[in-house]
Amino acid sequence: MDQKIEHIPVLLNESIENLITDKSGVYVDATLGLGGHSKKILDEINDDSKLIGFEVDPKAILISSSKLSKFKQFTIIKSNFDKIKVELYGLELNKVNGILYDLGTSNLELNDSERGFGFSSKGNLDMRMDPNLKNTAENIVNNYSLEKLKSIFFEYGEERMSKQIAQAIVEEREKYTIDTTEKLLKIVAKFSNYKYRNKTLARIFQAIRIEVNNELNVLQKSLTEAINLLKTGGRLVVISYHSLEDRIVKNTIQKATKNCICPPEIPICVCDHKASLKKINNKIITPTLSEIKKNPQSRSAKLRVAEKI
Ligand SMILES: C[S@@+](CC[C@H](N)C(=O)[O-])C[C@H]1O[C@@H](n2cnc3c(N)ncnc32)[C@H](O)[C@@H]1O
C-alpha cells in the first residue's frame, strides 16, 4: 500500500467555519481519517482548547497521528464513533463545543486494493474499516441467505435488480468461493449494460460495505449521543455522501428541532419531547463547481449543520 496517498478534505472551509464557535472550546472529529479536517481545526483553535479524533482504521491513525503530533491540544481515540459518549466521559469530557462527522471511507481505504473497498482494483473481499470486526464482505457474499443478500442490496444499495443479483451470487458460490473483488464484479456486471455498469457495481459494493461496518446503525446511535454531548450553542456538523446516510442525518436533526414528536392523529401532546437543536442551514451546503473540479470525489457531498439550544 502507498503510504503517501492523499485524501483531499471535502467542504473544508464550510465545515470548519460552521464548527468552531469558541476558539478555546473542546471539539470532536468523529472521523479523523488522514487528519485533513482535524489539521484545519487545530490551525484555528487556541492553545487552551482540545480536539479529540475518533478513528477505527489503524493505518489512518498511523498517518494522522504522525501528521498532527506537534499539536498538544490533540488526542486520538482508537474507537468507533458509536462509543462517543463513553469514550468522552472516560476523558472527563461531559460537554463539547462541536462535533464533526465526515462520513464514509478515505482514499487510504478506497485505494488499498487488498482491502477490497473498490470494484476498480483487484483485491480481497474484506471491506472492514476496523480490522477487528468479525464480519467481512467475503463472509456476507458466501454465507448470507438469498433473502438477506436481496434485502441488503435493496435497502443499502437501493438496487432494482437486488433479487436477480442475489440469486446469481448464490448460484455462483455453489461452484467456487467468491473471495475477490474481481469475482464479485464478474457476477454483478452481467446485470447492467455497459453504460450503467459502474453505477450498479457502486450500489452493490456500497451495500456490502454498509453491512460489513454496520454503518447506518452506528451513525444513528452516535448522532443521538452527539446531540446530548453538545453544550448550548455547540454545533453538530455532518458531511454525508449518499442518500441513506443523509436521510439519517436529516431525520435526526429534524426530530431534535421539534417540541413535540407525537403522531399527528393524537390531539394533545403526550410525548414531552423538547427541541434540543436549531438548524443553521436550511439549505444543504454542497461543494462549489471549482471544488468538484479539483476533487471529483466531493461531488456527492452534503453538509448539514445544527446548533444546540
Ligand atoms: C471520509 S474519511 C474522513 C477523512 C478526513 N476528514 C480527512 O480529511 O482526512 C472517513 C474516516 O472515518 C473513519 N470511520 C468511518 N466510520 C467510522 C466509525 N464508525 N467510527 C470511527 N471512524 C470511522 C474511516 O475509517 C475513515 O478513515
Side-chain angles (χ1 to χ4, degrees), residues 71-103:
F71 294 98
K72 63 179 180 5
Q73 310 100 311
F74 183 52
T75 307
I76 297 183
I77 309 255
K78 296 173 190 172
S79 166
N80 196 298
F81 61 51
D82 73 340
K83 303 203 177 52
I84 188 167
K85 182 170 138 193
V86 61
E87 291 290 351
L88 290 184
Y89 280 14
L91 297 177
E92 300 186 350
L93 296 170
N94 298 337
K95 291 284 172 205
V96 300
N97 299 75
I99 304 178
L100 167 75
Y101 294 80
D102 175 24
L103 298 168

PDB file of all heavy atoms in Angstrom, residues 71-103:
ATOM      1  N   PHE A  71       0.724  19.051  17.619  1.00  0.00           N
ATOM      2  CA  PHE A  71      -0.347  19.820  18.269  1.00  0.00           C
ATOM      3  C   PHE A  71      -0.665  19.216  19.634  1.00  0.00           C
ATOM      4  O   PHE A  71      -1.199  18.111  19.717  1.00  0.00           O
ATOM      5  CB  PHE A  71      -1.617  19.817  17.411  1.00  0.00           C
ATOM      6  CG  PHE A  71      -1.469  20.539  16.112  1.00  0.00           C
ATOM      7  CD1 PHE A  71      -1.201  19.850  14.935  1.00  0.00           C
ATOM      8  CD2 PHE A  71      -1.611  21.929  16.059  1.00  0.00           C
ATOM      9  CE1 PHE A  71      -1.070  20.513  13.725  1.00  0.00           C
ATOM     10  CE2 PHE A  71      -1.490  22.596  14.847  1.00  0.00           C
ATOM     11  CZ  PHE A  71      -1.216  21.901  13.680  1.00  0.00           C
ATOM     12  N   LYS A  72      -0.358  19.958  20.697  1.00  0.00           N
ATOM     13  CA  LYS A  72      -0.567  19.370  22.025  1.00  0.00           C
ATOM     14  C   LYS A  72      -2.049  19.351  22.439  1.00  0.00           C
ATOM     15  O   LYS A  72      -2.417  18.670  23.392  1.00  0.00           O
ATOM     16  CB  LYS A  72       0.312  20.046  23.071  1.00  0.00           C
ATOM     17  CG  LYS A  72       0.047  21.519  23.321  1.00  0.00           C
ATOM     18  CD  LYS A  72       0.983  22.016  24.410  1.00  0.00           C
ATOM     19  CE  LYS A  72       0.846  23.465  24.788  1.00  0.00           C
ATOM     20  NZ  LYS A  72      -0.173  24.308  24.255  1.00  0.00           N
ATOM     21  N   GLN A  73      -2.886  20.049  21.699  1.00  0.00           N
ATOM     22  CA  GLN A  73      -4.329  20.034  22.040  1.00  0.00           C
ATOM     23  C   GLN A  73      -5.016  18.764  21.532  1.00  0.00           C
ATOM     24  O   GLN A  73      -6.191  18.549  21.774  1.00  0.00           O
ATOM     25  CB  GLN A  73      -5.070  21.204  21.370  1.00  0.00           C
ATOM     26  CG  GLN A  73      -4.481  22.569  21.544  1.00  0.00           C
ATOM     27  CD  GLN A  73      -3.683  22.958  20.310  1.00  0.00           C
ATOM     28  OE1 GLN A  73      -2.852  22.187  19.827  1.00  0.00           O
ATOM     29  NE2 GLN A  73      -3.912  24.166  19.810  1.00  0.00           N
ATOM     30  N   PHE A  74      -4.267  17.922  20.800  1.00  0.00           N
ATOM     31  CA  PHE A  74      -4.887  16.827  20.043  1.00  0.00           C
ATOM     32  C   PHE A  74      -4.753  15.463  20.719  1.00  0.00           C
ATOM     33  O   PHE A  74      -3.663  15.087  21.162  1.00  0.00           O
ATOM     34  CB  PHE A  74      -4.229  16.789  18.661  1.00  0.00           C
ATOM     35  CG  PHE A  74      -4.794  15.761  17.732  1.00  0.00           C
ATOM     36  CD1 PHE A  74      -6.146  15.686  17.488  1.00  0.00           C
ATOM     37  CD2 PHE A  74      -3.955  14.869  17.064  1.00  0.00           C
ATOM     38  CE1 PHE A  74      -6.673  14.742  16.613  1.00  0.00           C
ATOM     39  CE2 PHE A  74      -4.460  13.928  16.187  1.00  0.00           C
ATOM     40  CZ  PHE A  74      -5.822  13.864  15.964  1.00  0.00           C
ATOM     41  N   THR A  75      -5.859  14.712  20.790  1.00  0.00           N
ATOM     42  CA  THR A  75      -5.854  13.346  21.336  1.00  0.00           C
ATOM     43  C   THR A  75      -6.586  12.429  20.351  1.00  0.00           C
ATOM     44  O   THR A  75      -7.652  12.796  19.856  1.00  0.00           O
ATOM     45  CB  THR A  75      -6.633  13.287  22.681  1.00  0.00           C
ATOM     46  OG1 THR A  75      -6.096  14.275  23.541  1.00  0.00           O
ATOM     47  CG2 THR A  75      -6.548  11.917  23.336  1.00  0.00           C
ATOM     48  N   ILE A  76      -6.014  11.250  20.096  1.00  0.00           N
ATOM     49  CA  ILE A  76      -6.703  10.288  19.227  1.00  0.00           C
ATOM     50  C   ILE A  76      -7.341   9.198  20.088  1.00  0.00           C
ATOM     51  O   ILE A  76      -6.704   8.672  21.005  1.00  0.00           O
ATOM     52  CB  ILE A  76      -5.732   9.614  18.228  1.00  0.00           C
ATOM     53  CG1 ILE A  76      -5.130  10.652  17.288  1.00  0.00           C
ATOM     54  CG2 ILE A  76      -6.440   8.515  17.430  1.00  0.00           C
ATOM     55  CD1 ILE A  76      -4.218  10.076  16.215  1.00  0.00           C
ATOM     56  N   ILE A  77      -8.587   8.876  19.772  1.00  0.00           N
ATOM     57  CA  ILE A  77      -9.260   7.736  20.417  1.00  0.00           C
ATOM     58  C   ILE A  77      -9.426   6.664  19.347  1.00  0.00           C
ATOM     59  O   ILE A  77     -10.094   6.891  18.339  1.00  0.00           O
ATOM     60  CB  ILE A  77     -10.651   8.132  20.941  1.00  0.00           C
ATOM     61  CG1 ILE A  77     -10.583   9.388  21.791  1.00  0.00           C
ATOM     62  CG2 ILE A  77     -11.309   6.959  21.645  1.00  0.00           C
ATOM     63  CD1 ILE A  77     -10.694   9.190  23.249  1.00  0.00           C
ATOM     64  N   LYS A  78      -8.819   5.492  19.608  1.00  0.00           N
ATOM     65  CA  LYS A  78      -8.950   4.384  18.643  1.00  0.00           C
ATOM     66  C   LYS A  78     -10.255   3.673  18.933  1.00  0.00           C
ATOM     67  O   LYS A  78     -10.291   2.664  19.644  1.00  0.00           O
ATOM     68  CB  LYS A  78      -7.780   3.407  18.815  1.00  0.00           C
ATOM     69  CG  LYS A  78      -6.457   4.033  18.485  1.00  0.00           C
ATOM     70  CD  LYS A  78      -5.312   3.105  18.814  1.00  0.00           C
ATOM     71  CE  LYS A  78      -4.017   3.884  18.692  1.00  0.00           C
ATOM     72  NZ  LYS A  78      -2.851   3.186  19.149  1.00  0.00           N
ATOM     73  N   SER A  79     -11.320   4.228  18.428  1.00  0.00           N
ATOM     74  CA  SER A  79     -12.636   3.647  18.738  1.00  0.00           C
ATOM     75  C   SER A  79     -13.645   4.037  17.684  1.00  0.00           C
ATOM     76  O   SER A  79     -13.520   5.078  17.033  1.00  0.00           O
ATOM     77  CB  SER A  79     -13.099   4.170  20.104  1.00  0.00           C
ATOM     78  OG  SER A  79     -14.467   3.903  20.295  1.00  0.00           O
ATOM     79  N   ASN A  80     -14.664   3.209  17.581  1.00  0.00           N
ATOM     80  CA  ASN A  80     -15.800   3.522  16.739  1.00  0.00           C
ATOM     81  C   ASN A  80     -16.525   4.743  17.325  1.00  0.00           C
ATOM     82  O   ASN A  80     -16.654   4.849  18.544  1.00  0.00           O
ATOM     83  CB  ASN A  80     -16.739   2.314  16.721  1.00  0.00           C
ATOM     84  CG  ASN A  80     -17.726   2.407  15.597  1.00  0.00           C
ATOM     85  OD1 ASN A  80     -18.541   3.320  15.536  1.00  0.00           O
ATOM     86  ND2 ASN A  80     -17.654   1.463  14.692  1.00  0.00           N
ATOM     87  N   PHE A  81     -17.025   5.609  16.453  1.00  0.00           N
ATOM     88  CA  PHE A  81     -17.726   6.788  16.975  1.00  0.00           C
ATOM     89  C   PHE A  81     -19.070   6.447  17.609  1.00  0.00           C
ATOM     90  O   PHE A  81     -19.716   7.309  18.179  1.00  0.00           O
ATOM     91  CB  PHE A  81     -17.817   7.912  15.943  1.00  0.00           C
ATOM     92  CG  PHE A  81     -18.555   7.614  14.652  1.00  0.00           C
ATOM     93  CD1 PHE A  81     -19.824   7.074  14.636  1.00  0.00           C
ATOM     94  CD2 PHE A  81     -17.965   7.948  13.422  1.00  0.00           C
ATOM     95  CE1 PHE A  81     -20.508   6.841  13.440  1.00  0.00           C
ATOM     96  CE2 PHE A  81     -18.641   7.709  12.213  1.00  0.00           C
ATOM     97  CZ  PHE A  81     -19.916   7.150  12.238  1.00  0.00           C
ATOM     98  N   ASP A  82     -19.497   5.203  17.549  1.00  0.00           N
ATOM     99  CA  ASP A  82     -20.741   4.868  18.264  1.00  0.00           C
ATOM    100  C   ASP A  82     -20.499   4.780  19.774  1.00  0.00           C
ATOM    101  O   ASP A  82     -21.441   4.653  20.546  1.00  0.00           O
ATOM    102  CB  ASP A  82     -21.413   3.592  17.714  1.00  0.00           C
ATOM    103  CG  ASP A  82     -20.693   2.315  18.084  1.00  0.00           C
ATOM    104  OD1 ASP A  82     -19.495   2.362  18.428  1.00  0.00           O
ATOM    105  OD2 ASP A  82     -21.333   1.243  18.007  1.00  0.00           O
ATOM    106  N   LYS A  83     -19.218   4.887  20.191  1.00  0.00           N
ATOM    107  CA  LYS A  83     -18.908   4.893  21.630  1.00  0.00           C
ATOM    108  C   LYS A  83     -18.505   6.309  22.052  1.00  0.00           C
ATOM    109  O   LYS A  83     -17.782   6.494  23.036  1.00  0.00           O
ATOM    110  CB  LYS A  83     -17.775   3.922  21.926  1.00  0.00           C
ATOM    111  CG  LYS A  83     -18.117   2.524  21.469  1.00  0.00           C
ATOM    112  CD  LYS A  83     -17.361   1.433  22.164  1.00  0.00           C
ATOM    113  CE  LYS A  83     -17.831   0.083  21.668  1.00  0.00           C
ATOM    114  NZ  LYS A  83     -17.815  -0.065  20.198  1.00  0.00           N
ATOM    115  N   ILE A  84     -18.987   7.304  21.322  1.00  0.00           N
ATOM    116  CA  ILE A  84     -18.540   8.692  21.566  1.00  0.00           C
ATOM    117  C   ILE A  84     -18.805   9.115  23.010  1.00  0.00           C
ATOM    118  O   ILE A  84     -17.946   9.735  23.648  1.00  0.00           O
ATOM    119  CB  ILE A  84     -19.177   9.660  20.520  1.00  0.00           C
ATOM    120  CG1 ILE A  84     -18.588  11.055  20.623  1.00  0.00           C
ATOM    121  CG2 ILE A  84     -20.689   9.702  20.602  1.00  0.00           C
ATOM    122  CD1 ILE A  84     -18.921  11.958  19.442  1.00  0.00           C
ATOM    123  N   LYS A  85     -19.970   8.753  23.545  1.00  0.00           N
ATOM    124  CA  LYS A  85     -20.332   9.211  24.886  1.00  0.00           C
ATOM    125  C   LYS A  85     -19.407   8.590  25.937  1.00  0.00           C
ATOM    126  O   LYS A  85     -18.775   9.295  26.712  1.00  0.00           O
ATOM    127  CB  LYS A  85     -21.795   8.821  25.165  1.00  0.00           C
ATOM    128  CG  LYS A  85     -22.293   9.274  26.491  1.00  0.00           C
ATOM    129  CD  LYS A  85     -23.788   9.069  26.573  1.00  0.00           C
ATOM    130  CE  LYS A  85     -24.162   8.518  27.920  1.00  0.00           C
ATOM    131  NZ  LYS A  85     -25.521   8.014  27.940  1.00  0.00           N
ATOM    132  N   VAL A  86     -19.287   7.261  25.900  1.00  0.00           N
ATOM    133  CA  VAL A  86     -18.495   6.584  26.930  1.00  0.00           C
ATOM    134  C   VAL A  86     -17.011   6.966  26.816  1.00  0.00           C
ATOM    135  O   VAL A  86     -16.320   7.164  27.819  1.00  0.00           O
ATOM    136  CB  VAL A  86     -18.761   5.058  26.911  1.00  0.00           C
ATOM    137  CG1 VAL A  86     -18.401   4.433  25.625  1.00  0.00           C
ATOM    138  CG2 VAL A  86     -18.019   4.343  27.996  1.00  0.00           C
ATOM    139  N   GLU A  87     -16.526   7.131  25.595  1.00  0.00           N
ATOM    140  CA  GLU A  87     -15.106   7.479  25.417  1.00  0.00           C
ATOM    141  C   GLU A  87     -14.830   8.910  25.906  1.00  0.00           C
ATOM    142  O   GLU A  87     -13.804   9.162  26.529  1.00  0.00           O
ATOM    143  CB  GLU A  87     -14.697   7.348  23.947  1.00  0.00           C
ATOM    144  CG  GLU A  87     -14.663   5.918  23.429  1.00  0.00           C
ATOM    145  CD  GLU A  87     -13.522   5.080  23.998  1.00  0.00           C
ATOM    146  OE1 GLU A  87     -12.642   5.631  24.678  1.00  0.00           O
ATOM    147  OE2 GLU A  87     -13.532   3.858  23.773  1.00  0.00           O
ATOM    148  N   LEU A  88     -15.747   9.837  25.631  1.00  0.00           N
ATOM    149  CA  LEU A  88     -15.527  11.215  26.098  1.00  0.00           C
ATOM    150  C   LEU A  88     -15.665  11.287  27.621  1.00  0.00           C
ATOM    151  O   LEU A  88     -14.891  11.982  28.279  1.00  0.00           O
ATOM    152  CB  LEU A  88     -16.489  12.191  25.417  1.00  0.00           C
ATOM    153  CG  LEU A  88     -16.240  12.444  23.924  1.00  0.00           C
ATOM    154  CD1 LEU A  88     -17.191  13.495  23.386  1.00  0.00           C
ATOM    155  CD2 LEU A  88     -14.804  12.875  23.625  1.00  0.00           C
ATOM    156  N   TYR A  89     -16.605  10.537  28.174  1.00  0.00           N
ATOM    157  CA  TYR A  89     -16.736  10.507  29.638  1.00  0.00           C
ATOM    158  C   TYR A  89     -15.433   9.992  30.255  1.00  0.00           C
ATOM    159  O   TYR A  89     -14.998  10.462  31.282  1.00  0.00           O
ATOM    160  CB  TYR A  89     -17.900   9.613  30.068  1.00  0.00           C
ATOM    161  CG  TYR A  89     -19.272  10.262  29.970  1.00  0.00           C
ATOM    162  CD1 TYR A  89     -19.463  11.447  29.275  1.00  0.00           C
ATOM    163  CD2 TYR A  89     -20.382   9.694  30.588  1.00  0.00           C
ATOM    164  CE1 TYR A  89     -20.713  12.040  29.171  1.00  0.00           C
ATOM    165  CE2 TYR A  89     -21.644  10.282  30.491  1.00  0.00           C
ATOM    166  CZ  TYR A  89     -21.803  11.442  29.780  1.00  0.00           C
ATOM    167  OH  TYR A  89     -23.041  12.012  29.681  1.00  0.00           O
ATOM    168  N   GLY A  90     -14.814   9.015  29.580  1.00  0.00           N
ATOM    169  CA  GLY A  90     -13.535   8.469  30.050  1.00  0.00           C
ATOM    170  C   GLY A  90     -12.442   9.535  30.107  1.00  0.00           C
ATOM    171  O   GLY A  90     -11.492   9.431  30.876  1.00  0.00           O
ATOM    172  N   LEU A  91     -12.562  10.563  29.282  1.00  0.00           N
ATOM    173  CA  LEU A  91     -11.600  11.676  29.305  1.00  0.00           C
ATOM    174  C   LEU A  91     -12.116  12.828  30.184  1.00  0.00           C
ATOM    175  O   LEU A  91     -11.596  13.941  30.137  1.00  0.00           O
ATOM    176  CB  LEU A  91     -11.370  12.222  27.891  1.00  0.00           C
ATOM    177  CG  LEU A  91     -10.744  11.293  26.853  1.00  0.00           C
ATOM    178  CD1 LEU A  91     -10.672  11.985  25.499  1.00  0.00           C
ATOM    179  CD2 LEU A  91      -9.352  10.872  27.283  1.00  0.00           C
ATOM    180  N   GLU A  92     -13.188  12.528  30.936  1.00  0.00           N
ATOM    181  CA  GLU A  92     -13.848  13.523  31.797  1.00  0.00           C
ATOM    182  C   GLU A  92     -14.383  14.707  31.000  1.00  0.00           C
ATOM    183  O   GLU A  92     -14.329  15.856  31.425  1.00  0.00           O
ATOM    184  CB  GLU A  92     -12.917  13.971  32.930  1.00  0.00           C
ATOM    185  CG  GLU A  92     -12.533  12.793  33.793  1.00  0.00           C
ATOM    186  CD  GLU A  92     -11.730  13.158  35.007  1.00  0.00           C
ATOM    187  OE1 GLU A  92     -11.300  14.302  35.121  1.00  0.00           O
ATOM    188  OE2 GLU A  92     -11.536  12.247  35.835  1.00  0.00           O
ATOM    189  N   LEU A  93     -14.848  14.413  29.790  1.00  0.00           N
ATOM    190  CA  LEU A  93     -15.475  15.453  28.974  1.00  0.00           C
ATOM    191  C   LEU A  93     -16.968  15.134  28.869  1.00  0.00           C
ATOM    192  O   LEU A  93     -17.353  14.171  28.210  1.00  0.00           O
ATOM    193  CB  LEU A  93     -14.850  15.477  27.571  1.00  0.00           C
ATOM    194  CG  LEU A  93     -13.375  15.853  27.505  1.00  0.00           C
ATOM    195  CD1 LEU A  93     -12.823  15.605  26.111  1.00  0.00           C
ATOM    196  CD2 LEU A  93     -13.185  17.313  27.896  1.00  0.00           C
ATOM    197  N   ASN A  94     -17.782  15.925  29.571  1.00  0.00           N
ATOM    198  CA  ASN A  94     -19.233  15.678  29.536  1.00  0.00           C
ATOM    199  C   ASN A  94     -19.920  16.503  28.471  1.00  0.00           C
ATOM    200  O   ASN A  94     -20.967  16.124  27.974  1.00  0.00           O
ATOM    201  CB  ASN A  94     -19.876  16.002  30.886  1.00  0.00           C
ATOM    202  CG  ASN A  94     -19.329  15.122  31.970  1.00  0.00           C
ATOM    203  OD1 ASN A  94     -18.823  14.040  31.676  1.00  0.00           O
ATOM    204  ND2 ASN A  94     -19.398  15.578  33.201  1.00  0.00           N
ATOM    205  N   LYS A  95     -19.332  17.644  28.159  1.00  0.00           N
ATOM    206  CA  LYS A  95     -19.931  18.533  27.156  1.00  0.00           C
ATOM    207  C   LYS A  95     -18.834  19.072  26.242  1.00  0.00           C
ATOM    208  O   LYS A  95     -17.710  19.328  26.691  1.00  0.00           O
ATOM    209  CB  LYS A  95     -20.635  19.720  27.839  1.00  0.00           C
ATOM    210  CG  LYS A  95     -21.884  19.327  28.608  1.00  0.00           C
ATOM    211  CD  LYS A  95     -23.066  19.061  27.697  1.00  0.00           C
ATOM    212  CE  LYS A  95     -24.242  18.484  28.468  1.00  0.00           C
ATOM    213  NZ  LYS A  95     -25.147  17.712  27.681  1.00  0.00           N
ATOM    214  N   VAL A  96     -19.184  19.247  24.954  1.00  0.00           N
ATOM    215  CA  VAL A  96     -18.196  19.750  23.985  1.00  0.00           C
ATOM    216  C   VAL A  96     -18.819  20.861  23.132  1.00  0.00           C
ATOM    217  O   VAL A  96     -20.042  21.015  23.099  1.00  0.00           O
ATOM    218  CB  VAL A  96     -17.656  18.617  23.067  1.00  0.00           C
ATOM    219  CG1 VAL A  96     -16.984  17.529  23.884  1.00  0.00           C
ATOM    220  CG2 VAL A  96     -18.750  18.025  22.202  1.00  0.00           C
ATOM    221  N   ASN A  97     -17.967  21.620  22.439  1.00  0.00           N
ATOM    222  CA  ASN A  97     -18.446  22.776  21.661  1.00  0.00           C
ATOM    223  C   ASN A  97     -18.803  22.435  20.213  1.00  0.00           C
ATOM    224  O   ASN A  97     -19.471  23.222  19.543  1.00  0.00           O
ATOM    225  CB  ASN A  97     -17.383  23.872  21.650  1.00  0.00           C
ATOM    226  CG  ASN A  97     -17.083  24.372  23.036  1.00  0.00           C
ATOM    227  OD1 ASN A  97     -16.420  23.687  23.800  1.00  0.00           O
ATOM    228  ND2 ASN A  97     -17.585  25.536  23.378  1.00  0.00           N
ATOM    229  N   GLY A  98     -18.314  21.291  19.738  1.00  0.00           N
ATOM    230  CA  GLY A  98     -18.645  20.974  18.357  1.00  0.00           C
ATOM    231  C   GLY A  98     -18.210  19.569  18.006  1.00  0.00           C
ATOM    232  O   GLY A  98     -17.187  19.078  18.503  1.00  0.00           O
ATOM    233  N   ILE A  99     -19.024  18.908  17.166  1.00  0.00           N
ATOM    234  CA  ILE A  99     -18.694  17.547  16.727  1.00  0.00           C
ATOM    235  C   ILE A  99     -18.861  17.488  15.213  1.00  0.00           C
ATOM    236  O   ILE A  99     -19.895  17.879  14.675  1.00  0.00           O
ATOM    237  CB  ILE A  99     -19.614  16.500  17.407  1.00  0.00           C
ATOM    238  CG1 ILE A  99     -19.529  16.647  18.943  1.00  0.00           C
ATOM    239  CG2 ILE A  99     -19.240  15.087  16.972  1.00  0.00           C
ATOM    240  CD1 ILE A  99     -20.425  15.710  19.735  1.00  0.00           C
ATOM    241  N   LEU A 100     -17.793  17.018  14.561  1.00  0.00           N
ATOM    242  CA  LEU A 100     -17.784  16.917  13.093  1.00  0.00           C
ATOM    243  C   LEU A 100     -17.781  15.451  12.661  1.00  0.00           C
ATOM    244  O   LEU A 100     -17.027  14.640  13.214  1.00  0.00           O
ATOM    245  CB  LEU A 100     -16.504  17.584  12.561  1.00  0.00           C
ATOM    246  CG  LEU A 100     -16.153  17.328  11.092  1.00  0.00           C
ATOM    247  CD1 LEU A 100     -17.071  18.129  10.170  1.00  0.00           C
ATOM    248  CD2 LEU A 100     -14.700  17.674  10.819  1.00  0.00           C
ATOM    249  N   TYR A 101     -18.609  15.128  11.682  1.00  0.00           N
ATOM    250  CA  TYR A 101     -18.576  13.810  11.025  1.00  0.00           C
ATOM    251  C   TYR A 101     -18.326  14.048   9.541  1.00  0.00           C
ATOM    252  O   TYR A 101     -19.044  14.833   8.914  1.00  0.00           O
ATOM    253  CB  TYR A 101     -19.916  13.083  11.139  1.00  0.00           C
ATOM    254  CG  TYR A 101     -20.335  12.673  12.530  1.00  0.00           C
ATOM    255  CD1 TYR A 101     -20.899  13.591  13.404  1.00  0.00           C
ATOM    256  CD2 TYR A 101     -20.203  11.358  12.956  1.00  0.00           C
ATOM    257  CE1 TYR A 101     -21.319  13.212  14.676  1.00  0.00           C
ATOM    258  CE2 TYR A 101     -20.616  10.967  14.228  1.00  0.00           C
ATOM    259  CZ  TYR A 101     -21.168  11.900  15.076  1.00  0.00           C
ATOM    260  OH  TYR A 101     -21.583  11.515  16.332  1.00  0.00           O
ATOM    261  N   ASP A 102     -17.322  13.366   8.988  1.00  0.00           N
ATOM    262  CA  ASP A 102     -17.087  13.369   7.538  1.00  0.00           C
ATOM    263  C   ASP A 102     -17.174  11.890   7.149  1.00  0.00           C
ATOM    264  O   ASP A 102     -16.192  11.164   7.223  1.00  0.00           O
ATOM    265  CB  ASP A 102     -15.693  13.967   7.269  1.00  0.00           C
ATOM    266  CG  ASP A 102     -15.305  13.908   5.803  1.00  0.00           C
ATOM    267  OD1 ASP A 102     -16.206  13.846   4.943  1.00  0.00           O
ATOM    268  OD2 ASP A 102     -14.086  13.925   5.523  1.00  0.00           O
ATOM    269  N   LEU A 103     -18.383  11.467   6.801  1.00  0.00           N
ATOM    270  CA  LEU A 103     -18.706  10.030   6.777  1.00  0.00           C
ATOM    271  C   LEU A 103     -18.042   9.269   5.621  1.00  0.00           C
ATOM    272  O   LEU A 103     -17.519   9.863   4.682  1.00  0.00           O
ATOM    273  CB  LEU A 103     -20.223   9.871   6.731  1.00  0.00           C
ATOM    274  CG  LEU A 103     -20.932  10.442   7.966  1.00  0.00           C
ATOM    275  CD1 LEU A 103     -22.434  10.515   7.736  1.00  0.00           C
ATOM    276  CD2 LEU A 103     -20.629   9.617   9.214  1.00  0.00           C
TER     277      LEU A 103
END
